[in-house]
Amino acid sequence: MEIIRVENLTKSFGTLEVLRGISFSVHCGDVLAVIGPSGSGKSTLLRAITHLETVSGGSVSIDGVDMVRDGVYAPAATLRSIGLKIGLVFQNFNLFPHFSVLRNITEAQIRVLRRSRQEAEARAYELMVKMGLADKAKAYPFELSGGQQQRVSIARALALDPKVLFFDEPTSALDPELTGEILKVIRDLAREKMTMVIVTHEMYFARDVADRVLFMDEGLIVEEGTAASIIGNPKNERTKAFLSRFTDHSLDSL
């Protein structure tokens, strides 16, 4: 079942074309990795699909419902409904610094989903255990490592029971030694068949976890296919040039 469909998506900032006719789809339970050099439009694409940026043209549907069709957005009530199906994990955590871990995970459940505090806390504790944060309920973000903060961010997104989870460079703000713990969490979610779209520079992770990979450059999808084919045996010369910095030895040793 198709859960995301993007057709001829465009986005311009003034005269700068950042997305130049992007089309792809994601099926339920799939993991899609989006790779490419900085400035290729990866993060803008994610922000456009999650309605953090308005598009210049094209169409996006989530779970069979049009968010935008030929550049025209759905009514506000429809956009709110679609928003509940989407979870987004940011590069820099975006936690509320004055909220405890528990409140960071419960606040949106109570305000957006209208869950009782008891229900919200039960779901939060379930996710804290899952994320290895069972003893951090009363801690504040400044008391946590970067890896712990990102796990809280993932738990907060999961607490709203989204149908698809988006990650925008989830390890870019972390020290290398903390990267592995976040990638393990995402691997576990992939095993549970959580639908995910992940913008990443972690090539070995994309190769090992993603079902499909999109390689973007200059606002276009240059090449797409299975993770093994794109990362292991790219056909396009631009893809080959980009991946040449990631040697087979470095990929295999990680």
Side-chain angles (χ1 to χ4, degrees):
M1 177 182 170
E2 204 172 69
I3 195 163
I4 301 171
R5 173 168 284 276
V6 177
E7 298 175 286
N8 198 32
L9 197 67
T10 61
K11 174 63 181 179
S12 297
F13 295 98
T15 59
L16 178 64
E17 288 185 293
V18 180
L19 301 177
R20 300 162 57 199
I22 300 290
S23 298
F24 67 93
S25 61
V26 180
H27 286 80
C28 189
D30 281 355
V31 178
L32 175 70
V34 184
I35 65 172
S38 296
S40 60
K42 305 184 304 297
S43 291
T44 300
L45 174 62
L46 223 64
R47 292 176 64 83
I49 298 172
T50 56
H51 199 207
L52 292 178
E53 293 281 0
T54 56
V55 306
S56 302
S59 304
V60 177
S61 65
I62 305 292
D63 200 23
V65 180
D66 285 341
M67 181 181 86
V68 55
R69 172 60 55 184
D70 297 328
V72 179
Y73 279 89
T78 301
L79 293 177
R80 284 193 296 271
S81 176
I82 290 171
L84 292 175
K85 300 179 181 183
I86 294 171
L88 179 59
V89 178
F90 298 90
Q91 295 181 26
N92 296 311
F93 324 134
N94 281 25
L95 299 175
F96 295 108
H98 56 296
F99 286 179
S100 67
V101 167
L102 180 62
R103 190 172 175 189
N104 262 286
I105 300 173
T106 58
E107 190 74 5
Q109 295 186 68
I110 294 168
R111 292 182 178 273
V112 177
L113 298 185
R114 305 299 183 188
R115 285 178 179 160
S116 68
R117 185 166 300 279
Q118 184 178 9
E119 290 175 314
E121 290 187 354
R123 178 63 171 146
Y125 277 109
E126 174 187 328
L127 288 166
M128 283 188 284
V129 169
K130 186 184 184 80
M131 297 292 155
L133 298 165
D135 60 339
K136 300 297 183 182
K138 296 181 180 179
Y140 287 83
F142 75 90
E143 299 175 297
L144 305 177
S145 70
Q148 289 170 331
Q149 289 185 62
Q150 190 61 296
R151 280 183 278 153
V152 175
S153 181
I154 295 170
R156 180 177 62 182
L158 289 172
L160 298 180
D161 300 325
K163 290 204 168 187
V164 56
L165 198 53
F166 294 86
F167 292 86
D168 186 9
E169 295 286 2
T171 61
S172 66
L174 302 178
D175 294 334
E177 64 185 25
L178 298 176
T179 294
E181 65 185 66
I182 299 306
L183 299 185
K184 180 183 181 302
V185 169
I186 299 174
R187 280 193 179 95
D188 290 343
L189 292 172
R191 292 190 190 101
E192 296 170 7
K193 292 299 182 181
M194 181 75 204
T195 308
M196 293 182 282
V197 178
I198 307 168
V199 168
T200 183
H201 281 117
E202 301 283 349
M203 293 302 108
Y204 73 95
F205 171 69
R207 181 196 63 182
D208 293 345
V209 174
D211 298 294
R212 290 174 49 242
V213 170
L214 302 183
F215 172 68
M216 289 184 64
D217 190 33
E218 296 183 350
L220 295 168
I221 295 176
V222 175
E223 192 168 358
E224 64 178 299
T226 65
S229 67
I230 298 299
I231 296 177
N233 188 30
K235 305 302 182 188
N236 187 280
E237 292 302 318
R238 182 66 188 93
T239 316
K240 291 178 182 179
F242 173 75
L243 290 171
S244 65
R245 73 189 72 177
F246 306 99
T247 65
D248 290 339
H249 174 73
S250 67
L251 284 169
D252 291 339
S253 65
L254 289 165

